[in-house]
Amino acid sequence: MAVISRIRKHSTLLIIIVGVALASFVLGDFLGPRKSKSQQQFANVGVVNGQEITGKEFNNKVEESLEIQRQNSQSDNISSDEAFSIRQSIWDQMVSEILLGEQYEKLGLGVSVDELDDQIRGVEPHNYIQQNFRDPNTGTFDPSTVTQFLQNFNQLDPSIQKRYLMLEKMIKDDRARTKYNNLIGYGYYVPTVFAQKDY
């Protein structure tokens, strides 16, 4: 009861203090340092295991993927669902690259130049190569088109070169992931005797 009567006595002081605090809070947003659009673009969109992913890096990868999607579909219109799906897959890919990259480094896993070349021009090339170098008329894969493409690589349009380098990176990432998964899979082998004993 005594506390309430004290508050009533000093109510004008209390209203002034609350009013000044509220005004300073609101004015702080208006008068405080503002980030320009270019600074906002460089802001981090996430931190994975202590490694920052900048907005610029993320947006660049999304734009590249959107451009590839436009070229593949031969249309400038991409639905909002497709755009969202691309953004989500890029995010998942970036997180995966960071997390798995650390594991590859710890284990010493990598893809050598010869191994990558075998995945591109070998006897049994990677599925990505077979899909992207099919003959449009017959629908069959011809290894000579890959060789011819690589021989004329420096004369090609920069956008085609960029697409190929992205394809090469995808093959390298897929190969490293396959090695890692095989390593994990073989690491959890249960001998038949133990399986029979558990059974």
Side-chain angles (χ1 to χ4, degrees):
M1 212 60 174
V3 175
I4 294 174
S5 65
R6 278 187 185 169
I7 292 173
R8 284 185 182 155
K9 275 184 186 177
H10 304 292
S11 63
T12 52
L13 179 63
L14 188 61
I15 289 172
I16 291 170
I17 291 172
V18 170
V20 168
L22 192 62
S24 64
F25 177 74
V26 170
L27 289 174
D29 279 349
F30 288 115
L31 301 176
R34 290 181 172 225
K35 289 184 178 179
S36 66
K37 282 193 175 184
S38 61
Q39 287 174 321
Q40 289 173 354
Q41 187 181 14
F42 291 104
N44 295 337
V45 292
V47 178
V48 179
N49 262 11
Q51 189 171 337
E52 298 173 346
I53 299 175
T54 64
K56 182 181 181 186
E57 180 186 6
F58 177 71
N59 288 333
N60 286 345
K61 290 191 175 191
V62 168
E63 283 303 316
E64 286 174 4
S65 294
L66 288 171
E67 186 57 37
I68 288 171
Q69 180 66 24
R70 286 185 195 104
Q71 290 175 359
N72 287 342
S73 64
Q74 297 178 346
S75 170
D76 288 339
N77 297 331
I78 293 179
S79 71
S80 59
D81 289 341
E82 285 176 318
F84 177 80
S85 175
I86 287 171
R87 290 181 73 81
Q88 186 62 48
S89 67
I90 292 296
W91 175 256
D92 293 343
Q93 177 189 345
M94 291 179 83
V95 170
S96 176
E97 281 176 6
I98 292 170
L99 296 177
L100 289 176
E102 291 173 1
Q103 296 303 313
Y104 298 160
E105 202 171 311
K106 284 180 187 175
L107 295 168
L109 278 178
V111 179
S112 68
V113 175
D114 291 337
E115 191 176 357
L116 184 61
D117 187 56
D118 184 56
Q119 291 288 306
I120 295 168
R121 293 190 284 193
V123 178
E124 215 173 296
H126 195 278
N127 289 338
Y128 293 158
I129 293 293
Q130 293 185 31
Q131 290 168 2
N132 285 280
F133 288 92
R134 290 186 186 277
D135 186 333
N137 300 326
T138 61
T140 57
F141 171 71
D142 183 11
S144 64
T145 56
V146 178
T147 307
Q148 187 178 0
F149 176 85
L150 293 173
Q151 286 172 347
N152 300 322
F153 186 74
N154 292 331
Q155 286 79 36
L156 295 172
D157 186 68
S159 63
I160 295 174
Q161 290 178 351
K162 193 173 186 179
R163 278 185 71 181
Y164 172 76
L165 292 174
M166 283 181 67
L167 179 69
E168 201 173 83
K169 184 183 180 312
M170 287 168 55
I171 292 170
K172 194 173 182 179
D173 290 345
D174 184 62
R175 184 70 188 132
R177 194 177 303 111
T178 301
K179 283 181 168 183
Y180 181 73
N181 290 339
N182 287 342
L183 185 66
I184 297 296
Y186 291 129
Y188 285 102
Y189 170 74
V190 177
T192 308
V193 176
F194 291 152
Q196 287 173 344
K197 187 177 179 185
D198 285 347
Y199 179 72

